[in-house]
Amino acid sequence: MITYYDDRSVQVTSAVIRVDGRAFPLAEIGLVWHRQGSRSWRVLAGRGAIGAALAGPLVAAVIGIAVAVWLHRSPTVTLAIVGASVLVGLAVGPIADFLFNHLDRSYDRGSRQRELWVRWRGQPVLLLRTGDALRFGKIYRAVQRAMENTALPPRSGRNTGPTSRAAAQ
């Protein structure tokens, strides 16, 4: 038996698909398809908030420099305001890696609910619903590979075609 995918709630093997304790033998599955829902505005708003968090200190630094120039104070005061503004702008550096990592994971997870359906014993059955696009893709591809490999006829062990150019001529 070949295992194509295995996690805490889904297992796809060459014989069966198990989802949350339910077992669906591949021999009884006739068709596999997927659907995706509408976009989650919550996820999109979260991505926008991360972008704002990244841009906030930089915008504050630019505004501080503009204010320093606009005030026409002594060079010492102007330099102090510009220096403080640059420090505020540099504050984004240490947290940028964390924020970019979070943003990247947000795109891996996706912004839609995805569903995996099969026709089992003649009836459509929802196997899985998840918002994690990366996990869904792995599971869907595992089901495809399992179905493709069960649909192949057994090999006879005989070579039915030419194996090299010399044999073909």
Side-chain angles (χ1 to χ4, degrees):
M1 181 170 70
I2 300 170
T3 300
Y4 295 100
Y5 183 85
D6 191 8
D7 71 10
R8 56 185 154 66
S9 64
V10 177
Q11 183 184 39
V12 180
T13 68
S14 56
V16 68
I17 301 171
R18 286 188 182 86
V19 180
D20 295 327
R22 299 180 305 166
F24 302 92
L26 292 181
E28 297 176 2
I29 295 175
L31 183 65
V32 176
W33 71 96
H34 64 92
R35 294 184 184 158
Q36 63 182 8
S38 60
R39 290 193 188 277
S40 166
W41 291 105
R42 181 179 157 265
V43 171
L44 297 177
R47 290 177 187 163
I50 291 171
L54 283 167
L58 298 176
V59 170
V62 169
I63 290 172
I65 292 170
V67 167
V69 171
W70 178 72
L71 285 177
H72 297 294
R73 298 290 181 184
S74 68
T76 305
V77 172
T78 301
L79 192 59
I81 294 173
V82 168
S85 299
V86 168
L87 288 176
V88 168
L90 291 175
V92 77
I95 61 169
D97 185 50
F98 170 76
L99 291 175
F100 279 127
N101 189 25
H102 191 70
L103 186 64
D104 192 35
R105 280 184 283 145
S106 165
Y107 278 99
D108 284 344
R109 286 188 302 267
S111 61
R112 300 173 185 262
Q113 284 287 318
R114 287 167 171 76
E115 297 176 344
L116 176 61
W117 290 80
V118 296
R119 183 164 305 279
W120 181 59
R121 297 180 179 168
Q123 299 295 321
V125 175
L126 174 65
L127 286 186
L128 175 72
R129 177 181 292 134
T130 182
D132 189 339
L134 184 62
R135 178 175 178 250
F136 178 84
K138 289 178 182 180
I139 294 169
Y140 188 70
R141 181 65 186 128
V143 170
Q144 285 179 320
R145 287 193 322 262
M147 293 297 291
E148 288 168 359
N149 290 336
T150 58
L152 293 176
R155 294 183 182 169
S156 64
R158 290 183 292 153
N159 187 1
T160 58
T163 57
S164 67
R165 287 186 194 201
Q169 294 174 350

